[in-house]
């Protein structure tokens, strides 16, 4: 005999697009994003809140999507790493059209060897987005605190800190050039 499964209709906005799906009440947000919304760039690691691979931005705040039921995200706005470029444009941060149109945070990881296998990277860049949204000149301690919930098994972290420092400088320079609001 199987336990009765209760379902709910969940509507979230993911990178600007509305997603509505009928899902079991116990479905985690990470599984909703990957299986129902097609966001396979949201990575699933430990599923117990320890690795940070599943981090997404929910209503402006980085959250571990394995720590929320999808029903708890109903009505909320979610950004995955794929949404960083469009978000930059929305915030008045001009992206350099050098073929890849990467957000300065993504570019920071690329330029400073902040990734190897890349499994942890979406989580790291979104935690970094949360940090740099509130603090445009983070100290190394600020950076350590912001990514303390993210685990990387490849890079050894020094290059990740370098990547975030690079991104902070780059974002400040772009904002100074374009006069974008520093909010
Ligand atoms: S998969 Fe969510 S913290 Fe590891
Ligand atoms: S780059 Fe491989 S886990 Fe971080």
């Amino acid at each position: 005999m199987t336990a009765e499964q209760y379902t709910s209709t969940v509507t979230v906005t993911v990178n600007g697009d509305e997603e509505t799906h009928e899902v079991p009440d116990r479905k985690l947000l990470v599984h909703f994003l990957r299986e129902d919304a097609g966001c396979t760039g949201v990575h699933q690691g430990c599923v117990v809140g320890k690795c940070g691979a599943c981090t997404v931005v929910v209503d402006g705040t980085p959250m571990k999507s394995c720590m929320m039921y999808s029903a708890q995200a109903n009505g909320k706005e979610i950004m995955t790493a794929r949404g960083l470029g469009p978000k930059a444009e929305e915030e008045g941060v001009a992206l350099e059209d050098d073929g890849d149109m990467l957000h300065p945070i993504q570019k920071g990881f690329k330029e400073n060897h902040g990734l190897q296998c890349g499994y942890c990277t979406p989580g790291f860049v979104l935690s970094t987005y949360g940090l740099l949204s509130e603090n445009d000149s983070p100290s190394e301690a600020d950076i350590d605190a912001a990514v303390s919930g993210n685990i990387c098994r490849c890079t050894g972290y020094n290059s990740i800190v370098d990547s975030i420092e690079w991104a902070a400088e780059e974002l400040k320079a772009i904002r100074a050039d374009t006069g974008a609001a520093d909010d």
Side-chain angles (χ1 to χ4, degrees):
M1 185 173 145
T2 55
E4 193 173 353
Q5 189 156 245
Y6 294 96
T7 64
S8 298
T9 304
V10 174
T11 299
V12 294
T13 304
V14 186
N15 300 327
D17 293 330
E18 200 169 278
E19 290 281 347
T20 300
H21 300 278
E22 181 81 14
V23 293
D25 285 346
R26 294 171 65 85
K27 187 161 204 168
L28 298 175
L29 179 59
V30 62
H31 296 146
F32 176 95
L33 291 170
R34 289 179 56 83
E35 295 163 13
D36 299 291
C39 298
T40 50
V42 179
H43 291 168
Q44 174 189 318
C46 63
V47 202
V48 289
K50 291 193 188 300
C51 73
C54 65
T55 303
V56 295
V57 174
V58 180
D59 282 352
T61 303
M63 310 272 289
K64 292 175 176 175
S65 58
C66 71
M67 290 283 91
M68 283 179 83
Y69 291 118
S70 43
Q72 291 174 295
N74 191 37
K76 297 192 186 297
E77 206 163 302
I78 293 172
M79 182 175 71
T80 72
R82 196 177 59 195
L84 272 171
K87 190 71 181 171
E89 301 284 356
E90 193 186 304
E91 292 175 349
V93 175
L95 298 183
E96 210 178 309
D97 189 2
D98 56 1
D100 50 23
M101 296 289 278
L102 292 178
H103 187 280
I105 297 173
Q106 294 165 308
K107 201 172 268 186
F109 277 71
K110 183 178 165 195
E111 299 288 329
N112 296 275
H113 312 290
L115 70 156
Q116 288 183 28
C117 80
Y119 200 80
C120 68
T121 310
F124 269 100
V125 299
L126 293 169
S127 293
T128 302
Y129 174 83
L131 168 69
L132 299 185
S133 297
E134 292 182 348
N135 181 353
D136 66 0
S137 305
S139 64
E140 201 169 318
D142 295 332
I143 292 172
D144 285 350
V147 298
S148 61
N150 295 80
I151 292 174
C152 176
R153 290 178 168 82
C154 299
T155 64
Y157 296 100
N158 287 342
S159 53
I160 289 179
V161 173
D162 291 347
S163 303
I164 297 170
E165 286 173 344
W166 188 98
E169 287 305 313
E170 183 77 358
L171 262 173
K172 258 201 304 199
I174 293 172
R175 284 180 169 138
D177 274 0
T178 60
D182 239 9
D183 56 7

